[in-house]
Amino acid sequence: MMLSSRSETGLRAVLVLLGAITTLPVVALVHVGILDWNYGVADPDPMTQALLQHRGMLQLLLGAAIVWSAFYPPVRLAAALAAVVGKSTFLALILPNAAIRGDLSPLSIWFDLACIVVLGVLAARLIVRGRHATAS
């Protein structure tokens, strides 16, 4: 996707910000208390703790891919699609269930929704531009 240098700089800043925030659940690996703030899980049983810590590691990997895509455009589509699918799946599992939805940080819900929109638009533009480039 060819952008002006100003647009490319802005896109990079957005991708770095979204990627960096996406990585934050990894803190659960070293500070289990974050699970209470982020997910409303104050004293998790060992399996729940392990699963949420593993989710933190997966979020680290996803966030790193988004940041990488800021500086290496060939991975932008894959990183954007992975984030849209992952974050959409998480919200689809959480939002319909009022019992667990109330425990999730509203900031987390809004951030994931914003990522889905921004990265979804980016992915759609990359797909359309890719089709135009191959048709030319």
Side-chain angles (χ1 to χ4, degrees):
M1 181 160 88
M2 298 301 295
L3 297 173
S4 69
S5 75
R6 184 179 215 178
S7 295
E8 179 65 23
T9 300
L11 178 59
R12 284 183 178 173
V14 168
L15 291 171
V16 168
L17 181 64
L18 294 179
I21 294 170
T22 294
T23 68
L24 293 178
V26 77
V27 173
L29 287 173
V30 294
H31 180 58
V32 178
I34 195 81
L35 298 176
D36 186 29
W37 179 81
N38 206 25
Y39 304 111
V41 179
D43 188 24
D45 62 80
M47 180 56 87
T48 300
Q49 179 178 328
L51 289 171
L52 289 174
Q53 287 175 318
H54 182 254
R55 182 182 190 281
M57 177 52 70
L58 294 174
Q59 289 294 104
L60 172 68
L61 297 173
L62 179 60
I66 296 169
V67 171
W68 180 32
S69 78
F71 303 101
Y72 190 65
V75 302
R76 282 186 183 159
L77 180 59
L81 289 175
V84 168
V85 170
K87 290 176 179 294
S88 295
T89 300
F90 178 67
L91 292 178
L93 292 169
I94 297 294
L95 293 180
N97 188 332
I100 56 177
R101 179 180 62 233
D103 292 335
L104 188 63
S105 164
L107 179 62
S108 190
I109 294 169
W110 287 108
F111 174 74
D112 282 354
L113 287 171
C115 284
I116 291 165
V117 170
V118 170
L119 296 172
V121 168
L122 175 61
R125 290 185 60 151
L126 289 168
I127 290 168
V128 168
R129 292 215 175 165
R131 286 186 181 156
H132 287 306
T134 56
S136 300

